[in-house]
Coordinates of all heavy atoms in Angstrom, one line a residue:
K981 N -120.4 97.6 65.9 CA -119.8 98.5 66.8 C -120.5 99.8 66.9 O -121.0 100.4 65.9 CB -118.4 98.9 66.2 CG -117.4 97.7 66.3 CD -116.0 98.1 65.8 CE -115.1 96.9 65.8 NZ -113.8 97.3 65.4
D982 N -120.7 100.3 68.1 CA -121.3 101.6 68.3 C -120.3 102.6 68.7 O -119.4 102.4 69.5 CB -122.4 101.4 69.4 CG -123.5 100.6 69.0 OD1 -124.0 100.6 67.9 OD2 -124.0 99.8 69.9
S983 N -120.4 103.8 68.2 CA -119.6 104.9 68.5 C -120.0 105.5 69.9 O -121.2 105.8 70.0 CB -119.6 106.0 67.4 OG -118.6 106.9 67.6
V984 N -119.1 105.8 70.8 CA -119.5 106.3 72.1 C -118.5 107.4 72.5 O -117.4 107.4 72.1 CB -119.6 105.2 73.2 CG1 -120.6 104.2 72.9 CG2 -118.2 104.5 73.3
T985 N -119.0 108.3 73.4 CA -118.2 109.3 74.1 C -118.6 109.2 75.5 O -119.7 109.5 75.8 CB -118.3 110.7 73.5 OG1 -118.0 110.7 72.1 CG2 -117.5 111.7 74.2
N986 N -117.6 108.9 76.4 CA -117.9 109.0 77.8 C -117.3 110.3 78.4 O -116.2 110.7 78.0 CB -117.2 107.8 78.5 CG -118.0 106.5 78.3 OD1 -119.2 106.5 78.1 ND2 -117.3 105.4 78.4
I987 N -118.1 110.9 79.3 CA -117.7 112.2 79.9 C -117.7 112.0 81.4 O -118.7 111.7 82.0 CB -118.6 113.3 79.5 CG1 -118.6 113.5 77.9 CG2 -118.2 114.6 80.1 CD1 -119.7 114.4 77.4
G988 N -116.5 112.3 82.0 CA -116.4 112.3 83.4 C -116.2 113.7 83.9 O -115.5 114.5 83.3
E989 N -116.8 114.0 85.1 CA -116.7 115.3 85.6 C -115.7 115.3 86.8 O -115.8 114.4 87.7 CB -118.0 115.9 86.1 CG -119.0 116.1 84.9 CD -120.3 116.7 85.4 OE1 -120.6 116.6 86.6 OE2 -121.0 117.3 84.5
L990 N -114.9 116.3 86.9 CA -114.0 116.5 88.1 C -114.4 117.9 88.6 O -114.5 118.9 87.9 CB -112.5 116.5 87.7 CG -112.0 115.3 86.9 CD1 -110.6 115.5 86.4 CD2 -112.0 114.1 87.9
F991 N -114.6 118.0 89.9 CA -115.1 119.2 90.5 C -116.4 119.7 89.9 O -116.5 120.8 89.5 CB -114.0 120.3 90.4 CG -112.7 119.9 91.0 CD1 -111.6 119.7 90.1 CD2 -112.5 119.7 92.3 CE1 -110.4 119.3 90.6 CE2 -111.3 119.3 92.8 CZ -110.2 119.1 92.0
G992 N -117.3 118.8 89.7 CA -118.6 119.1 89.0 C -118.3 119.3 87.6 O -117.4 118.7 87.0
P993 N -119.0 120.2 86.9 CA -118.8 120.4 85.5 C -117.6 121.3 85.1 O -117.4 121.6 84.0 CB -120.1 121.0 85.0 CG -120.6 121.7 86.2 CD -120.2 120.8 87.4
L994 N -116.9 121.7 86.1 CA -115.8 122.7 85.9 C -114.7 122.1 85.0 O -114.1 122.7 84.1 CB -115.2 123.2 87.2 CG -116.1 124.0 88.1 CD1 -115.4 124.3 89.4 CD2 -116.5 125.2 87.4
I995 N -114.3 120.8 85.3 CA -113.3 120.1 84.5 C -113.9 118.8 84.0 O -114.4 118.1 84.8 CB -112.0 119.9 85.3 CG1 -111.4 121.2 85.8 CG2 -111.0 119.1 84.5 CD1 -110.3 121.1 86.7
T996 N -113.8 118.5 82.7 CA -114.3 117.2 82.2 C -113.2 116.5 81.5 O -112.3 117.0 80.9 CB -115.5 117.4 81.3 OG1 -115.1 118.3 80.2 CG2 -116.7 118.1 82.0
V997 N -113.4 115.2 81.5 CA -112.5 114.3 80.7 C -113.4 113.6 79.7 O -114.4 113.0 80.1 CB -111.8 113.2 81.6 CG1 -111.0 112.2 80.8 CG2 -111.0 113.9 82.7
K998 N -113.1 113.7 78.5 CA -113.9 113.1 77.4 C -113.1 112.1 76.7 O -112.0 112.4 76.2 CB -114.4 114.2 76.4 CG -115.2 115.3 77.1 CD -115.6 116.4 76.1 CE -116.4 117.4 76.8 NZ -116.9 118.5 75.9
V999 N -113.7 110.9 76.6 CA -113.0 109.8 75.9 C -113.9 109.2 74.9 O -115.1 108.9 75.1 CB -112.6 108.7 76.9 CG1 -111.9 107.5 76.2 CG2 -111.7 109.2 78.0
A1000 N -113.4 109.1 73.6 CA -114.2 108.6 72.5 C -113.7 107.3 72.0 O -112.5 107.0 72.1 CB -114.2 109.7 71.4
G1001 N -114.6 106.5 71.4 CA -114.2 105.3 70.8 C -115.4 104.5 70.3 O -116.4 105.0 70.1
T1002 N -115.2 103.2 70.2 CA -116.3 102.3 69.9 C -116.5 101.2 70.9 O -115.6 100.9 71.7 CB -115.9 101.5 68.5 OG1 -114.8 100.8 68.7 CG2 -115.8 102.5 67.4
L1003 N -117.7 100.7 71.0 CA -118.1 99.7 71.9 C -118.7 98.5 71.2 O -119.6 98.8 70.3 CB -119.1 100.3 72.9 CG -119.5 99.4 74.1 CD1 -118.3 99.1 75.0 CD2 -120.6 100.1 74.9
E1004 N -118.3 97.3 71.5 CA -118.8 96.2 70.8 C -119.1 95.0 71.8 O -118.2 94.7 72.6 CB -117.8 95.7 69.7 CG -118.2 94.6 68.9 CD -117.2 94.3 67.8 OE1 -116.1 94.8 67.8 OE2 -117.6 93.6 66.8
E1005 N -120.2 94.4 71.6 CA -120.5 93.2 72.4 C -119.7 92.1 71.9 O -119.6 91.9 70.7 CB -122.0 92.8 72.3 CG -122.9 93.9 72.9 CD -124.4 93.5 72.7 OE1 -124.8 92.4 73.1 OE2 -125.1 94.3 72.1
R1006 N -119.1 91.3 72.7 CA -118.4 90.1 72.2 C -119.3 89.1 71.6 O -118.9 88.4 70.6 CB -117.6 89.5 73.4 CG -116.3 90.2 73.7 CD -115.4 89.2 74.3 NE -114.0 89.7 74.1 CZ -113.1 89.2 74.8 NH1 -113.3 88.4 75.7 NH2 -111.8 89.6 74.6
D1007 N -120.5 88.9 72.1 CA -121.5 88.0 71.6 C -122.9 88.6 71.7 O -123.5 88.6 72.7 CB -121.4 86.6 72.4 CG -122.4 85.6 71.8 OD1 -123.1 85.9 70.8 OD2 -122.4 84.5 72.4
R1008 N -123.3 89.1 70.5 CA -124.6 89.8 70.5 C -125.8 88.9 70.8 O -126.8 89.4 71.3 CB -124.8 90.5 69.2 CG -124.0 91.7 68.9 CD -124.4 92.4 67.6 NE -123.6 93.6 67.4 CZ -123.9 94.8 67.9 NH1 -124.9 95.0 68.6 NH2 -123.1 95.8 67.6
M1009 N -125.7 87.6 70.6 CA -126.8 86.7 70.8 C -126.9 86.3 72.2 O -128.0 85.9 72.7 CB -126.6 85.4 69.9 CG -126.5 85.8 68.4 SD -127.9 86.7 67.8 CE -129.2 85.4 67.9
S1010 N -125.9 86.4 73.0 CA -125.9 86.0 74.4 C -126.7 86.9 75.3 O -126.5 88.1 75.2 CB -124.4 85.8 74.9 OG -124.5 85.6 76.3
L1011 N -127.5 86.4 76.2 CA -128.2 87.2 77.2 C -127.6 87.0 78.6 O -128.2 87.4 79.5 CB -129.7 86.8 77.1 CG -130.4 87.1 75.8 CD1 -131.9 86.6 75.9 CD2 -130.4 88.5 75.4
Q1012 N -126.5 86.3 78.6 CA -125.9 86.0 79.9 C -125.3 87.2 80.5 O -124.8 88.1 79.9 CB -124.7 85.0 79.6 CG -123.9 84.6 80.8 CD -122.8 83.7 80.4 OE1 -122.7 83.1 79.4 NE2 -121.9 83.5 81.4
V1013 N -125.4 87.3 81.9 CA -124.8 88.4 82.6 C -123.8 87.7 83.6 O -124.2 86.8 84.2 CB -125.9 89.1 83.4 CG1 -125.3 90.2 84.3 CG2 -126.9 89.8 82.4
P1014 N -122.6 88.2 83.7 CA -122.1 89.5 83.1 C -121.9 89.2 81.6 O -121.6 88.2 81.1 CB -120.8 89.7 83.8 CG -120.4 88.4 84.4 CD -121.6 87.6 84.6
K1015 N -122.1 90.3 80.8 CA -122.0 90.3 79.4 C -120.6 91.0 79.0 O -120.4 92.1 79.3 CB -123.1 91.1 78.8 CG -123.2 90.9 77.3 CD -124.5 91.4 76.8 CE -124.7 91.2 75.3 NZ -124.8 89.8 74.9
P1016 N -119.8 90.3 78.3 CA -118.5 90.8 77.9 C -118.6 91.8 76.7 O -119.3 91.6 75.8 CB -117.6 89.6 77.5 CG -118.6 88.5 77.3 CD -119.9 88.8 77.9
F1017 N -117.8 92.9 76.9 CA -117.7 94.0 75.9 C -116.3 94.3 75.6 O -115.4 94.1 76.4 CB -118.4 95.3 76.4 CG -119.9 95.2 76.4 CD1 -120.6 94.7 77.5 CD2 -120.6 95.8 75.3 CE1 -121.9 94.7 77.5 CE2 -122.0 95.8 75.3 CZ -122.6 95.2 76.4
V1018 N -116.0 94.8 74.4 CA -114.7 95.3 74.0 C -114.9 96.8 73.7 O -115.7 97.2 72.9 CB -114.1 94.6 72.7 CG1 -112.8 95.2 72.3 CG2 -114.0 93.1 73.0
A1019 N -114.1 97.7 74.4 CA -114.1 99.1 74.1 C -112.8 99.5 73.5 O -111.7 99.1 73.9 CB -114.2 99.9 75.5
N1020 N -112.9 100.1 72.3 CA -111.7 100.6 71.6 C -111.6 102.1 71.7 O -112.4 102.8 71.1 CB -111.8 100.2 70.1 CG -110.6 99.4 69.7 OD1 -109.5 99.7 70.2 ND2 -110.7 98.5 68.8
I1021 N -110.7 102.6 72.5 CA -110.5 104.0 72.8 C -109.7 104.6 71.7 O -108.6 104.1 71.4 CB -109.9 104.2 74.1 CG1 -110.8 103.7 75.2 CG2 -109.6 105.7 74.4 CD1 -110.2 103.6 76.6
T1022 N -110.2 105.6 71.0 CA -109.5 106.3 69.9 C -109.0 107.7 70.3 O -108.0 108.1 69.7 CB -110.4 106.4 68.7 OG1 -111.6 107.2 69.1 CG2 -110.8 105.1 68.1
S1023 N -109.5 108.4 71.3 CA -109.0 109.7 71.6 C -109.6 110.1 73.0 O -110.5 109.5 73.5 CB -109.5 110.7 70.6 OG -110.9 110.9 70.6
G1024 N -108.9 111.0 73.6 CA -109.3 111.6 74.9 C -108.9 113.0 75.0 O -107.9 113.4 74.4
K1025 N -109.6 113.8 75.9 CA -109.2 115.2 76.1 C -109.6 115.6 77.5 O -110.6 115.1 78.0 CB -109.7 116.1 75.0 CG -111.2 116.0 74.7 CD -111.5 116.8 73.5 CE -113.0 116.6 73.1 NZ -113.3 117.4 71.9
L1026 N -108.9 116.6 78.0 CA -109.2 117.2 79.3 C -109.7 118.6 79.0 O -109.0 119.4 78.3 CB -108.0 117.3 80.2 CG -108.1 117.9 81.5 CD1 -109.0 117.0 82.4 CD2 -106.7 118.1 82.2
C1027 N -110.9 118.9 79.5 CA -111.5 120.2 79.1 C -111.9 121.1 80.3 O -112.3 120.5 81.3 CB -112.8 119.9 78.3 SG -112.5 118.9 76.8
L1028 N -111.9 122.4 80.1 CA -112.4 123.3 81.1 C -113.8 123.5 80.8 O -114.2 124.3 79.8 CB -111.6 124.6 81.1 CG -110.1 124.5 81.5 CD1 -109.4 125.8 81.3 CD2 -110.0 124.1 82.9
G1029 N -114.7 122.9 81.5 CA -116.2 123.0 81.2 C -116.7 121.8 80.4 O -115.9 121.0 80.0
N1030 N -118.0 121.9 80.0 CA -118.6 120.8 79.3 C -119.5 121.3 78.2 O -120.6 121.0 78.1 CB -119.3 119.9 80.2 CG -119.8 118.6 79.5 OD1 -119.3 118.2 78.5 ND2 -120.8 117.9 80.1
T1031 N -118.9 122.2 77.4 CA -119.7 122.8 76.2 C -118.9 122.5 75.0 O -117.7 122.2 75.1 CB -120.0 124.3 76.4 OG1 -118.7 125.0 76.3 CG2 -120.7 124.6 77.7
N1032 N -119.4 122.8 73.8 CA -118.7 122.6 72.6 C -117.6 123.7 72.4 O -116.7 123.5 71.6 CB -119.7 122.7 71.4 CG -120.5 121.5 71.3 OD1 -120.2 120.4 71.8 ND2 -121.7 121.6 70.7
E1033 N -117.7 124.8 73.2 CA -116.7 125.9 73.1 C -115.7 125.7 74.2 O -114.8 126.6 74.3 CB -117.4 127.2 73.2 CG -118.4 127.6 72.1 CD -119.7 126.9 72.2 OE1 -120.2 126.7 73.3 OE2 -120.3 126.6 71.2
S1034 N -115.7 124.7 75.0 CA -114.7 124.5 76.1 C -113.3 124.4 75.5 O -113.1 123.7 74.5 CB -115.1 123.3 76.9 OG -116.3 123.4 77.5
A1035 N -112.3 125.0 76.2 CA -110.9 124.8 75.9 C -110.5 123.4 76.3 O -110.8 123.0 77.5 CB -110.1 125.9 76.5
C1036 N -109.8 122.6 75.4 CA -109.4 121.3 75.7 C -108.0 121.0 75.3 O -107.5 121.7 74.4 CB -110.3 120.3 75.0 SG -112.1 120.4 75.3
I1037 N -107.4 120.1 76.0 CA -106.0 119.6 75.6 C -106.1 118.1 75.4 O -106.8 117.4 76.2 CB -105.0 120.0 76.7 CG1 -105.3 119.4 78.0 CG2 -104.7 121.5 76.8 CD1 -104.2 119.5 79.1
P1038 N -105.5 117.6 74.4 CA -105.6 116.2 74.1 C -104.8 115.3 75.2 O -103.9 115.8 75.8 CB -104.9 116.0 72.8 CG -104.0 117.2 72.6 CD -104.7 118.3 73.4
L1039 N -105.3 114.1 75.4 CA -104.7 113.2 76.3 C -104.1 112.0 75.5 O -104.7 111.6 74.6 CB -105.8 112.7 77.3 CG -106.4 113.7 78.3 CD1 -107.5 113.0 79.1 CD2 -105.3 114.2 79.2
P1040 N -103.0 111.5 75.9 CA -102.4 110.4 75.2 C -103.0 109.1 75.6 O -102.4 108.3 76.3 CB -100.9 110.5 75.7 CG -101.0 111.1 77.0 CD -102.2 112.0 77.0
I1041 N -104.2 108.9 75.2 CA -105.0 107.7 75.5 C -105.5 107.0 74.3 O -106.1 107.7 73.4 CB -106.1 108.0 76.6 CG1 -106.8 106.7 77.0 CG2 -107.1 108.9 76.0 CD1 -107.7 106.9 78.1
S1042 N -105.3 105.7 74.2 CA -105.9 104.9 73.1 C -105.6 103.4 73.4 O -104.9 103.1 74.3 CB -105.2 105.2 71.8 OG -103.8 104.8 71.8
G1043 N -106.4 102.6 72.8 CA -106.2 101.1 73.0 C -107.5 100.4 73.3 O -108.6 101.0 73.2
E1044 N -107.4 99.1 73.6 CA -108.5 98.3 73.8 C -108.7 98.0 75.3 O -107.7 97.8 76.0 CB -108.3 96.9 73.0 CG -109.4 96.0 73.2 CD -109.2 94.7 72.4 OE1 -109.4 94.7 71.2 OE2 -108.7 93.7 73.0
G1045 N -109.9 98.1 75.7 CA -110.3 97.7 77.0 C -111.4 96.7 77.0 O -112.2 96.6 76.2
L1046 N -111.3 95.8 78.0 CA -112.3 94.7 78.1 C -113.1 94.9 79.4 O -112.5 95.2 80.5 CB -111.6 93.3 78.1 CG -110.7 93.0 77.0 CD1 -110.0 91.7 77.2 CD2 -111.5 93.0 75.7
F1047 N -114.4 94.8 79.4 CA -115.1 94.9 80.6 C -116.4 94.0 80.5 O -116.8 93.6 79.4 CB -115.5 96.3 81.0 CG -116.6 96.9 80.1 CD1 -117.9 96.9 80.5 CD2 -116.2 97.6 78.9 CE1 -118.9 97.5 79.8 CE2 -117.2 98.2 78.2 CZ -118.5 98.1 78.6
N1048 N -116.9 93.6 81.7 CA -118.1 92.9 81.8 C -119.2 93.8 82.1 O -119.1 94.6 83.1 CB -118.0 91.8 82.9 CG -117.3 90.6 82.4 OD1 -117.3 90.2 81.2 ND2 -116.7 89.9 83.3
G1049 N -120.3 93.8 81.4 CA -121.6 94.5 81.8 C -122.3 93.7 82.9 O -122.8 92.6 82.6
V1050 N -122.2 94.2 84.1 CA -122.8 93.5 85.2 C -124.3 93.8 85.3 O -125.1 93.0 85.5 CB -122.2 94.0 86.5 CG1 -122.8 93.3 87.7 CG2 -120.7 93.7 86.5
Y1051 N -124.7 95.1 85.0 CA -126.1 95.5 84.9 C -126.2 96.4 83.7 O -125.5 97.4 83.5 CB -126.6 96.2 86.1 CG -128.0 96.7 85.9 CD1 -129.1 95.8 86.1 CD2 -128.3 98.0 85.6 CE1 -130.4 96.3 85.9 CE2 -129.6 98.4 85.4 CZ -130.6 97.6 85.6 OH -131.9 98.0 85.4
L1052 N -127.2 96.1 82.8 CA -127.3 96.9 81.6 C -128.8 97.4 81.4 O -129.6 96.6 81.1 CB -126.9 96.2 80.3 CG -125.5 95.6 80.4 CD1 -125.2 94.6 79.2 CD2 -124.5 96.7 80.3
G1053 N -129.1 98.6 81.8 CA -130.4 99.1 81.7 C -130.5 100.2 80.6 O -129.5 100.5 79.9
K1054 N -131.7 100.8 80.4 CA -131.8 101.8 79.4 C -131.0 103.1 79.7 O -130.5 103.7 78.8 CB -133.3 102.2 79.2 CG -134.1 101.0 78.6 CD -135.5 101.4 78.4 CE -136.3 100.3 77.8 NZ -137.3 100.6 76.9
R1055 N -130.9 103.4 81.0 CA -130.2 104.6 81.4 C -129.0 104.4 82.2 O -128.1 105.2 82.3 CB -131.1 105.6 82.2 CG -132.1 106.3 81.3 CD -132.6 107.5 81.9 NE -131.4 108.2 82.5 CZ -131.5 109.2 83.3 NH1 -132.6 109.7 83.7 NH2 -130.4 109.8 83.8
L1056 N -128.9 103.2 82.9 CA -127.9 102.9 83.8 C -127.1 101.7 83.3 O -127.7 100.7 82.9 CB -128.5 102.6 85.2 CG -127.5 102.2 86.3 CD1 -126.6 103.3 86.7 CD2 -128.3 101.7 87.5
R1057 N -125.7 101.8 83.4 CA -124.9 100.7 83.1 C -123.8 100.5 84.2 O -123.2 101.5 84.5 CB -124.2 101.0 81.7 CG -123.3 99.9 81.3 CD -122.8 100.1 79.8 NE -122.2 101.4 79.6 CZ -122.1 101.9 78.4 NH1 -122.6 101.3 77.4 NH2 -121.6 103.1 78.3
I1058 N -123.7 99.3 84.7 CA -122.7 99.0 85.7 C -121.8 98.0 85.1 O -122.2 96.9 84.6 CB -123.3 98.5 87.0 CG1 -124.3 99.5 87.6 CG2 -122.2 98.1 88.0 CD1 -125.1 99.1 88.8
G1059 N -120.5 98.2 85.1 CA -119.5 97.3 84.5 C -118.3 97.1 85.4 O -118.1 97.8 86.4
Q1060 N -117.6 96.1 85.1 CA -116.3 95.8 85.8 C -115.2 95.6 84.8 O -115.3 94.8 83.9 CB -116.5 94.5 86.7 CG -115.2 94.3 87.5 CD -115.4 93.3 88.6 OE1 -116.4 92.7 88.7 NE2 -114.4 93.1 89.4
N1061 N -114.1 96.3 84.9 CA -113.0 96.3 84.1 C -112.3 94.9 84.2 O -112.2 94.4 85.3 CB -112.0 97.4 84.4 CG -110.9 97.4 83.5 OD1 -110.0 96.6 83.6 ND2 -110.9 98.4 82.6
I1062 N -112.0 94.3 83.1 CA -111.4 92.9 83.1 C -109.9 93.0 83.0 O -109.1 92.4 83.7 CB -111.9 92.1 82.0 CG1 -113.4 91.8 82.2 CG2 -111.2 90.7 81.9 CD1 -114.1 91.2 81.0
N1063 N -109.4 93.9 82.1 CA -107.9 93.9 81.9 C -107.2 95.1 82.5 O -106.1 95.4 82.1 CB -107.6 93.9 80.4 CG -108.1 95.0 79.6 OD1 -109.0 95.7 80.0 ND2 -107.6 95.3 78.4
G1064 N -107.8 95.8 83.4 CA -107.2 96.9 84.0 C -107.3 97.0 85.5 O -107.3 98.1 86.1
G1065 N -107.4 95.9 86.2 CA -107.4 95.9 87.7 C -108.7 95.6 88.3 O -108.8 95.6 89.5
G1066 N -109.8 95.5 87.5 CA -111.1 95.1 88.1 C -111.9 96.3 88.6 O -112.9 96.1 89.4
A1067 N -111.6 97.5 88.3 CA -112.4 98.7 88.7 C -113.8 98.5 88.3 O -114.1 98.0 87.2 CB -111.8 99.9 88.2
R1068 N -114.8 99.0 89.1 CA -116.2 99.0 88.8 C -116.5 100.4 88.3 O -116.0 101.4 88.7 CB -117.0 98.7 90.0 CG -116.8 97.4 90.6 CD -117.9 96.5 90.5 NE -117.5 95.2 91.0 CZ -118.3 94.2 91.1 NH1 -119.6 94.3 90.7 NH2 -117.9 93.0 91.5
V1069 N -117.4 100.4 87.3 CA -117.8 101.6 86.6 C -119.3 101.7 86.7 O -120.0 100.8 86.4 CB -117.3 101.6 85.2 CG1 -117.8 102.9 84.4 CG2 -115.9 101.5 85.1
V1070 N -119.8 102.9 87.0 CA -121.3 103.2 87.0 C -121.4 104.4 86.0 O -120.8 105.4 86.2 CB -121.8 103.6 88.4 CG1 -123.3 104.0 88.3 CG2 -121.6 102.5 89.4
Q1071 N -122.3 104.1 85.0 CA -122.5 105.2 83.9 C -124.0 105.4 83.8 O -124.8 104.5 83.9 CB -121.9 104.7 82.6 CG -120.4 104.5 82.6 CD -119.9 104.0 81.3 OE1 -120.6 103.1 80.7 NE2 -118.7 104.4 80.9
I1072 N -124.3 106.7 83.7 CA -125.7 107.1 83.5 C -125.8 107.8 82.2 O -125.1 108.8 81.9 CB -126.2 108.0 84.6 CG1 -126.1 107.2 86.0 CG2 -127.6 108.5 84.4 CD1 -126.3 108.1 87.2
R1073 N -126.8 107.4 81.3 CA -127.0 108.1 80.0 C -127.7 109.4 80.3 O -128.7 109.4 80.9 CB -127.8 107.2 79.1 CG -128.0 107.8 77.7 CD -128.9 106.9 76.9 NE -128.2 105.6 76.6 CZ -127.6 105.3 75.5 NH1 -127.7 106.2 74.5 NH2 -127.0 104.2 75.3
V1074 N -127.2 110.5 79.7 CA -127.8 111.8 79.9 C -128.4 112.3 78.6 O -129.2 113.3 78.7 CB -126.8 112.8 80.5 CG1 -126.4 112.5 81.9 CG2 -125.6 113.0 79.6
A1075 N -128.1 111.8 77.5 CA -128.7 112.3 76.3 C -129.4 111.1 75.5 O -129.1 110.0 75.7 CB -127.6 112.9 75.4

């Protein structure tokens, strides 16, 4: 399991949503695409800004999410939610 924090921006960097948890491949040996993953969300918060000093309020979010990795590159990840309506997600690694 890898520890991850996803950050989404609303109105640019003025308001951010930060969600933390773990991410685990269902089958590390498989090279098949789409590749199934399990995300375990442990906490979330809504923040004014995107710095360590930003004022934040906790969000009541936790639980398990399932998604397929449709494209998995070094900086870009495209996924599709399996247990939440099929939403597509595009994520770019910034650090």
